[in-house]
């Protein structure tokens, strides 16, 4: 996505194009609302891409003797600095030491953030040695195991925490020594008050949430959709052309618009702006010349609804602060962007009354291809460069399918 601002990716609505839409980029977000990871290929599962939104940060009030204090997830909606928490994914390889605890846990997420404390001269020198940048601030990092072997009987250690209006569950990893040592600094970095606890939860196969809104037809997907710590659905797809189109509507001081603010899993190119909003089902066809092993079956996804946006796209990913336009002379503060523009130009339906505009589409993998891949004992992978074949088109209205299958 380094070239995402190139004008060739900004095809206006209803532009005629040669050839199919293609996957331009794939992103995973291991820790909900933290920095993403760009990958060349990703394994598709029933609950979305493997390793996507499998962790979440949460806080609760530190009230002595108050058993009613509950954990609540945190996000960039209230903690925009979470956008500055960097994540890397490390997975074992064929030469890995099988006795290494991180290998036994299936790998880890490396989490890094700027040291919120005043750095020492030694810290500054070490940072300069690694970055050759005198202005770079020292950072801290810690590792989060993907399948923590330190936690005995994981299902006995499940804790409930809130994500929006629903209860989620996960393994509380805050007691792992390396994580426990980093959490006080992370609290300081995020500006979390001293009278609140902070921890990180791990999603498990037994804590997946069944989707109960914007339901894909069971005749296509086979069994009810489930997801981890995503807000609604397993997969999100978006178009660079659509982001370019929105960017042209923004005040000049807010251009160009970074597409990564919208946190999609799949970014597509070679399709007119907003074209993806007409899709109901699509197939992902392997790119020619691919050499990596993958199942000899093509994934099919059902498109269930537009993505109703919240305030998170207003977070400037370079600064970790909320963006606004230049205020009028009589105003002290400008209007939040791009939300103000999305509300004005991208309120293309009335399904969600609280939506701050719509951009991007929610999708659900269909069971048939997942089962075929399992029978082949191969992974149902999606890769950058794969083509999109639209199987069905139609109209979408957020919330129109009821709340249960």
């Amino acid at each position: 996505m380094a070239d995402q601002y190139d004008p060739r990716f900004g095809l206006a609505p209803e532009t005629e194009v040669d050839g199919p839409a293609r996957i331009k980029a794939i992103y995973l977000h291991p820790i909900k609302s933290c920095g993403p990871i760009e990958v060349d290929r990703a394994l598709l599962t029933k609950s979305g891409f493997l390793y996507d939104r499998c962790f979440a940060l949460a806080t609760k009030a530190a009230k002595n003797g108050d058993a009613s204090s509950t954990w609540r997830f945190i996000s960039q909606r209230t903690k925009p600095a979470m956008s500055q928490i960097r994540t890397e994914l490390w997975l074992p390889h064929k030469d890995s030491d099988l006795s290494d605890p991180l290998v036994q846990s299936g790998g880890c997420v490396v989490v890094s953030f700027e040291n919120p404390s005043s750095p020492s001269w030694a810290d500054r020198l070490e940072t300069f040695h690694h970055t050759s940048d005198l202005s770079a601030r020292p950072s801290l990092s810690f590792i989060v195991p993907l399948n923590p072997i330190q936690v005995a009987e994981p299902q006995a250690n499940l804790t409930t925490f809130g994500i929006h209006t629903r209860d989620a569950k996960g393994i509380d990893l805050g007691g792992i020594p390396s994580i426990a040592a980093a959490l006080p600094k992370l609290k300081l970095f995020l500006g979390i008050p001293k009278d609140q606890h902070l921890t990180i939860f791990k999603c498990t196969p037994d804590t997946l949430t069944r989707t109960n809104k914007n339901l894909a037809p069971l005749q296509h997907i086979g069994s009810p959709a489930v997801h981890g710590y995503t807000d609604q659905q397993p997969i999100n797809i978006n178009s660079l052309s659509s982001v370019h189109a929105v960017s042209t509507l923004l005040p000049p001081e807010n251009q160009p618009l970074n597409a990564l603010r919208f946190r999609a899993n799949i970014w597509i190119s070679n399709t007119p702006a907003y074209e993806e909003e007409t899709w109901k089902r699509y197939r992902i066809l392997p790119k020619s010349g691919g050499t990596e092993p993958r199942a000899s079956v093509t994934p099919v996804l059902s498109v269930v609804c537009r993505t109703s946006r919240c305030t998170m796209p207003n977070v400037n990913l370079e600064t970790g602060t909320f963006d606004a336009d230049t205020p009028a002379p009589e105003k002290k503060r400008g209007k939040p962007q791009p939300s103000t523009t999305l509300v004005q130009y991208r309120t293309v339906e009335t399904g969600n009354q609280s939506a701050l505009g719509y951009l991007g589409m929610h999708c659900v993998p269909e069971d048939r291809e997942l089962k075929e891949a399992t029978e082949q004992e191969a992974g149902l992978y999606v890769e950058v460069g794969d083509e999109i074949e639209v199987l069905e088109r139609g109209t979408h209205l957020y919330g129109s399918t009821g709340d249960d299958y």
Side-chain angles (χ1 to χ4, degrees):
M1 290 284 275
D3 60 351
Q4 63 163 300
Y5 303 118
D6 192 306
R8 75 179 187 274
F9 296 122
L11 301 178
E14 300 182 3
T15 299
E16 291 189 10
V17 297
D18 292 327
R22 288 187 176 274
I23 295 180
K24 163 68 173 167
I26 302 171
Y27 277 83
L28 307 177
H29 310 78
I31 304 177
K32 185 176 178 65
S33 222
C34 293
I37 299 171
E38 186 174 8
V39 296
D40 291 330
R41 70 198 308 250
L43 180 65
L44 190 63
T45 73
K46 177 69 177 179
S47 58
F49 284 125
L50 188 63
Y51 311 123
D52 186 56
R53 276 92 165 187
C54 55
F55 299 95
L57 291 167
T59 60
K60 75 170 181 177
K63 297 179 181 179
N64 293 329
D66 185 358
S68 65
S69 180
T70 58
W71 291 103
R72 295 285 306 171
F73 92 112
I74 57 174
S75 75
Q76 293 178 36
R77 294 168 182 83
T78 57
K79 303 293 181 186
M82 291 180 70
S83 65
Q84 306 301 291
I85 299 175
R86 301 177 298 279
T87 60
E88 299 175 78
L89 188 63
W90 182 84
L91 301 175
H93 51 80
K94 62 182 180 65
D95 297 323
S96 294
D97 181 359
L98 297 181
S99 65
D100 188 322
L102 285 181
V103 175
Q104 296 173 12
S105 68
C108 66
V109 177
V110 182
V111 184
S112 304
F113 58 97
E114 187 179 286
N115 189 343
S117 303
S118 298
S120 65
W121 279 107
D123 291 334
R124 290 184 180 276
L125 285 173
E126 183 179 0
T127 301
F128 176 74
H129 174 73
H130 290 291
T131 66
S132 300
D133 183 358
L134 286 172
S135 64
R137 292 185 58 84
S139 64
L140 301 174
S141 63
F142 63 99
I143 58 174
V144 181
L146 290 174
N147 297 289
I149 59 175
Q150 296 97 327
V151 180
E153 300 181 6
Q155 300 313 310
N157 291 275
L158 292 179
T159 300
T160 299
F161 67 103
I163 296 181
H164 300 302
T165 59
R166 68 180 172 94
D167 285 340
K169 288 186 177 182
I171 302 174
D172 185 347
L173 304 184
I176 294 178
S178 60
I179 296 176
L183 289 178
K185 290 287 189 180
L186 187 56
K187 278 182 60 175
L188 188 60
F189 174 75
L190 294 175
I192 294 173
K194 292 182 179 179
D195 63 352
Q196 290 187 8
H197 293 301
L198 174 68
T199 195
I200 184 167
F201 287 105
K202 170 70 170 67
C203 188
T204 72
D206 293 323
T207 59
L208 297 173
T209 298
R210 175 170 154 166
T211 300
N212 63 1
K213 195 176 188 66
N214 296 307
L215 307 179
L218 289 179
Q219 69 186 81
H220 294 317
I221 64 171
S223 61
V226 294
H227 60 102
Y229 295 153
T230 56
D231 285 350
Q232 294 184 36
Q233 304 284 352
I235 297 287
N236 191 269
I237 190 170
N238 210 329
S239 161
L240 271 185
S241 291
S242 298
V243 175
H244 276 247
V246 170
S247 186
T248 62
L249 302 173
L250 293 171
E253 63 269 27
N254 298 111
Q255 299 181 21
L257 180 59
N258 188 340
L260 299 187
R261 294 189 185 203
F262 296 98
R263 302 181 68 79
N265 296 116
I266 300 174
W267 285 100
I268 58 172
S269 60
N270 199 44
T271 186
Y274 316 130
E275 175 76 10
E276 66 279 4
E277 295 186 353
T278 69
W279 299 357
K280 297 292 282 189
R281 297 175 70 221
Y282 63 92
R283 186 189 309 277
I284 299 177
L285 302 173
K287 63 182 178 183
S288 60
T291 58
E292 293 292 328
R294 60 199 294 188
S296 58
V297 57
T298 54
V300 177
L301 292 91
S302 286
V303 185
V304 294
C305 66
R306 295 182 179 90
T307 306
S308 58
R309 309 311 316 197
C310 63
T311 58
M312 273 184 56
N314 296 335
V315 176
N316 185 315
L317 301 183
E318 284 69 48
T319 64
T321 58
F322 288 110
D323 259 358
D325 55 25
T326 302
E330 70 278 9
K331 301 288 185 179
K332 291 184 178 180
R333 289 187 293 183
K335 297 177 181 178
Q337 293 292 356
S339 286
T340 299
T341 297
L342 288 170
V343 169
Q344 181 178 0
Y345 295 102
R346 292 296 303 156
T347 305
V348 291
E349 60 161 273
T350 57
N352 184 355
Q353 296 299 319
S354 62
L356 300 179
Y358 296 84
L359 196 71
M361 305 301 291
H362 286 303
C363 312
V364 177
E366 299 188 3
D367 285 355
R368 181 181 305 170
E369 291 73 26
L370 290 167
K371 291 178 179 178
E372 288 185 28
T374 299
E375 292 169 358
Q376 295 176 19
E377 298 183 348
L380 192 62
Y381 283 92
V382 175
E383 297 186 4
V384 171
D386 285 354
E387 297 180 355
I388 303 291
E389 177 190 6
V390 180
L391 302 177
E392 293 183 24
R393 297 180 185 270
T395 58
H396 289 281
L397 177 63
Y398 189 97
S400 63
T401 58
D403 295 334
D404 204 356
Y405 287 95

